[in-house]
């Protein structure tokens, strides 16, 4: 997965935006929803590209143990973030799933009204459980 594809996947989620908030590191792209980061990467890096993604802590440990391309989040809370090297060793479908999981974790933490505005599938599931 290259930079363009990564950007496209991240921006394909409802309400996702790309920002460059780090003045000292202007090449770092952050992908946010509801003002919170769900993915960050330096898309201008030469291959292999790396992306940091939010992850359930228990799953994060399992992924790191099973895949050498997945390591604790670089300069992030290592309990909740993984950095994934996009070197071709992971199937693209898995990378997309990891990005979606990160997005879902962030959206789930947003206030209910924001989740409703995003038309997030997880909110529809919550509504069924409540109703």
């Amino acid at each position: 997965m290259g930079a363009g594809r990564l950007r496209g996947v991240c921006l394909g989620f409802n309400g996702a935006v790309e920002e460059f908030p780090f003045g000292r590191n202007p090449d770092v792209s952050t992908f946010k929803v509801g003002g919170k980061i769900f993915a960050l990467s330096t898309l201008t890096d030469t291959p292999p590209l790396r992306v940091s993604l939010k992850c359930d802590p228990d799953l994060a440990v399992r992924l790191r143990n099973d895949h050498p391309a997945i390591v604790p989040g670089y300069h992030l809370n290592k309990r909740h973030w993984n950095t994934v090297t996009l070197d071709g060793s992971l199937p693209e479908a898995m990378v997309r799933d990891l990005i979606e999981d990160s997005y879902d974790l962030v959206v789930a933490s947003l206030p209910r009204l924001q989740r409703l505005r995003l038309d997030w599938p997880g909110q529809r599931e919550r509504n069924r459980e409540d109703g």
Side-chain angles (χ1 to χ4, degrees), residues 14-15 111-120 123:
N14 292 348
R112 183 175 186 272
L113 185 56
Q114 278 186 289
R115 293 191 311 260
L116 288 169
R117 282 190 200 127
L118 292 169
D119 192 29
W120 178 57
Q123 183 61 45

Side-chain angles (χ1 to χ4, degrees), residues 4 11 15 22 33 45 53 75 80 86 91 95 97 117 119 128:
L11 292 176
F22 305 114
V33 61
D45 275 353
L53 303 166
H75 285 298
H80 295 278
L86 305 177
V95 174
D97 287 346
R117 282 190 200 127
D119 192 29
R128 279 193 296 272

Side-chain angles (χ1 to χ4, degrees), residues 8-29:
V9 169
C10 290
L11 292 176
F13 296 107
N14 292 348
V17 297
E18 181 179 20
E19 295 180 358
F20 301 87
F22 305 114
R24 294 180 68 189
N25 296 299
D27 292 338
V28 176
S29 294

Side-chain angles (χ1 to χ4, degrees), residues 95-114:
V95 174
R96 283 194 316 268
D97 287 346
L98 293 171
I99 296 168
E100 183 174 9
D101 288 349
S102 181
Y103 172 87
D104 286 345
L105 282 169
V106 171
V107 173
S109 73
L110 297 174
R112 183 175 186 272
L113 185 56
Q114 278 186 289

Side-chain angles (χ1 to χ4, degrees), residues 57-68:
D58 294 329
L59 177 59
V61 171
R62 287 195 307 272
L63 289 168
R64 294 171 198 163
N65 288 334
D66 294 346
H67 304 282

Side-chain angles (χ1 to χ4, degrees), residues 118-130:
L118 292 169
D119 192 29
W120 178 57
Q123 183 61 45
R124 290 193 295 271
E125 291 171 18
R126 285 182 180 195
N127 289 343
R128 279 193 296 272
E129 291 170 3
D130 292 344

